Amino acid sequence: LSASGDQQHFGDGIAEEILDELTGLDGLRVAARASSFAYREKAADLREIAEALNVTAILDGSIRRSGDRVRIASQLVNASNGYQLWSETYERELTDLFEIQDDIASAVAGALGVTLGVGDINAYRGAGTTSIEAYEAFLRARGAAANPMMRGNAEEAISLLKRAVALDPDYAAAFALLGLTIASTMWQNMPEEAPGIIDEAVGYLLQAVELEPDSAYAYALLGTVNYARMDWIQSEAYFQKSLAASSDPEARGHYSNMLMRSGRSRAAIATLESLNLPVNRISASAHIAIEDYDTVRAPSAAFIGPSRARIDYLVALNEGDLETVALALSQLPQQGPSWENMIEPILRDPTDTAAIGLALRSTLNNTQLRWPEKYNDLALLAAFFNHPQLAMDALGRESRLTTLRLYTLWYPVFREVRQLEDFKALLTDINLTGYWRAHGWPDHCYPIGAEDFACS
């Protein structure tokens, strides 16, 4: 409610600290951040929200900042009858943001513990810094980094996070987000640039771990670092340590990403289901891999606009209907002349697989034709139009450089590609076969004796 309307990041930070405190109350079940925050800007009846979230009470509030003062109002409402169970307003001088958060989060949790008849409060979990400026930079960066596939967002987040760690060199959370955001820029760059990006990101991630070595999140970061470097066995070990130490949702999300990329799609889905999150672009791939197309088509899946068109295209490719693929291709957002040059023969005559194969091979070998998903896009189309070796050549060029899109290896459209000897060599080169023998085989590959294996 601040006059300039620019304090959403501050309000989100306060709300998240309160949510963390409430989660620590024994006997209280709290809706996940992603679920409850979805109603932040929606005009909805409290009873409807309560029914959707399956809760019996709703805590809401507002924040108003004016100069060096902040006012935070909060109320607890009985969802069945709309009556107010508790309310309080807090006014503070904005001299110590974290003392304010500690005070308010603990007060709210304590009051709700009494009001709702649930147990003791966990110790307050701070933000990891004593610098108000560093924390505000971190919150703004987290908002920008929410959509890392937008180049401008990632650049803004990286700049803000570098400011945060400069202001507080002991700020573990900022170092962690900085490393992850830098790693996310792989989406915007060619695979050849991925190793350098990972090396830069890893430095910041390891700094975060050094500052907070025993936390569940630090173990999850180490898991992410190691699978990015294709050390899957070490990655699994760190993720298991993380999961044993805490049920942190973000850590479980990182683990599910590793499972998807390693071909363990069903295990990834099971891990994500406990988080109660809508299907997104990455998790949709696990459902596509097991031919669960209904889930990614469902209205509840988090796809709109270009993302929806891309998912419809991927489903069409994997279901194998030529007419639907051609239509979906024509409806994808324009990606520039390189992409248009590649798909032109398909749109002209989708039955001329020989001409399509020549165009795809020409695009693969033309270093002047570039876009971030070039090799993967080529591989998908080559596989669909019955050019498995061409698809394999494209996959090999990307997959030995980055784990970013490994989850697509398990799509149904690559079934014939997975039976090539070159595919088996790729899996060995990127260390997946050793991981599978140690921790269980994926959905589409299986052992043959002690030394060999096959994929279907």
Side-chain angles (χ1 to χ4, degrees):
L1 303 179
S2 303
S4 57
D6 64 351
Q7 293 300 306
Q8 180 172 301
H9 66 284
F10 184 30
D12 285 355
I14 294 286
E16 191 161 339
E17 296 301 335
I18 292 174
L19 188 147
D20 283 348
E21 284 282 1
L22 296 179
T23 303
L25 288 171
D26 293 336
L28 183 65
R29 186 177 58 80
V30 184
R33 178 187 189 277
S35 301
S36 58
F37 276 35
Y39 292 94
R40 180 178 55 200
E41 298 173 359
K42 294 181 180 178
D45 182 82
L46 290 182
R47 297 184 196 188
E48 294 175 1
I49 298 174
E51 183 176 355
L53 297 179
N54 191 27
V55 297
T56 56
I58 291 179
L59 177 72
D60 71 1
S62 63
I63 184 167
R64 183 188 300 273
R65 181 175 175 179
S66 178
D68 292 328
R69 291 193 64 80
V70 62
R71 172 185 291 178
I72 297 170
S74 190
Q75 65 170 346
L76 181 70
V77 177
N78 185 326
S80 65
N81 56 27
Y83 290 164
Q84 190 176 85
L85 297 173
W86 167 87
S87 68
E88 188 63 81
T89 299
Y90 305 89
E91 293 194 26
R92 298 288 190 277
E93 290 289 336
L94 198 60
T95 54
D96 190 331
L97 177 61
F98 307 111
E99 184 177 338
I100 293 172
Q101 287 186 218
D102 190 350
D103 182 17
I104 293 175
S106 296
V108 170
L112 266 60
V114 173
T115 305
L116 300 176
V118 292
D120 295 332
I121 316 165
N122 280 350
Y124 173 69
R125 294 188 287 274
T129 181
T130 57
S131 166
I132 292 175
E133 288 183 273
Y135 183 54
E136 290 206 328
F138 173 80
L139 290 177
R140 290 185 185 278
R142 191 172 60 181
N147 189 356
M149 295 184 195
M150 304 264 309
R151 184 179 295 274
N153 286 5
E155 290 174 352
E156 179 187 2
I158 289 168
S159 177
L160 286 164
L161 290 164
K162 286 184 176 179
R163 171 172 168 74
V165 298
L167 289 165
D168 184 352
D170 294 327
Y171 196 173
F175 275 110
L177 187 57
L178 178 54
L180 292 171
T181 305
I182 289 172
S184 76
T185 63
M186 287 191 294
W187 290 105
Q188 307 152 14
N189 292 281
M190 291 296 292
E192 290 85 353
E193 299 170 66
I197 292 171
I198 282 294
D199 286 345
E200 181 185 1
V202 163
Y204 292 111
L205 293 172
L206 293 179
Q207 181 69 19
V209 171
E210 184 178 332
L211 290 166
E212 196 180 0
D214 297 323
S215 72
Y217 190 59
Y219 289 134
L221 290 177
L222 287 170
T224 300
V225 165
N226 279 278
Y227 88 69
R229 289 180 159 176
M230 302 185 190
D231 186 348
W232 305 93
I233 291 177
Q234 190 62 65
S235 176
E236 178 75 24
Y238 279 124
F239 276 123
Q240 291 305 320
K241 281 188 176 183
S242 176
L243 297 174
S246 169
S247 58
D248 179 69
E250 194 167 357
R252 295 181 73 83
H254 288 307
Y255 181 50
S256 72
N257 287 337
M258 189 273 275
L259 291 172
M260 274 183 268
R261 287 171 167 88
S262 68
R264 300 172 67 188
S265 304
R266 295 183 189 279
I269 291 169
T271 300
L272 286 171
E273 283 177 346
S274 65
L275 302 181
N276 194 30
L277 297 175
V279 175
N280 60 28
R281 178 179 175 178
I282 305 299
S283 60
S285 290
H287 290 278
I288 291 174
I290 63 170
E291 301 181 60
D292 175 18
Y293 304 125
D294 290 342
T295 295
V296 297
R297 285 193 180 110
S300 59
F303 303 118
I304 58 174
S307 294
R308 179 77 268 173
R310 176 75 181 180
I311 289 297
D312 290 343
Y313 164 64
L314 290 175
V315 169
L317 278 174
N318 285 284
E319 284 189 317
D321 182 84
L322 179 59
E323 184 177 342
T324 306
V325 167
L327 176 62
L329 262 180
S330 69
Q331 294 178 342
L332 283 178
Q334 297 301 306
Q335 299 188 41
S338 297
W339 166 264
E340 292 163 13
N341 182 74
M342 180 183 71
I343 69 169
E344 190 275 332
I346 300 171
L347 297 180
R348 185 177 65 245
D349 183 1
T351 64
D352 190 350
T353 58
I356 291 168
L358 288 173
L360 293 175
R361 174 66 71 180
S362 175
T363 302
L364 177 63
N365 293 330
N366 190 335
T367 58
Q368 302 304 308
L369 301 179
R370 294 165 55 89
W371 67 96
E373 294 188 60
K374 171 181 173 177
Y375 299 130
N376 199 257
D377 286 337
L378 271 163
L380 287 165
L381 289 169
F384 181 81
F385 287 104
N386 300 313
H387 298 286
Q389 188 58 54
L390 174 57
M392 184 64 243
D393 293 346
L395 287 176
R397 294 197 190 187
E398 172 168 321
S399 300
R400 288 180 171 86
L401 294 168
T402 173
T403 62
L404 194 65
R405 281 174 279 268
L406 283 186
Y407 50 79
T408 64
L409 298 184
W410 316 112
Y411 284 177
V413 73
F414 287 135
R415 187 173 287 113
E416 190 174 347
V417 178
R418 288 195 292 268
Q419 296 173 49
L420 298 174
E421 286 300 313
D422 284 354
F423 187 80
K424 292 172 62 177
L426 170 64
L427 298 179
T428 301
D429 289 347
I430 63 176
N431 304 317
L432 275 173
T433 53
Y435 168 66
W436 293 336
R437 290 190 185 280
H439 292 284
W441 287 82
D443 301 308
H444 298 295
C445 298
Y446 53 90
I448 300 176
E451 300 294 332
D452 201 4
F453 69 99
C455 298
S456 60

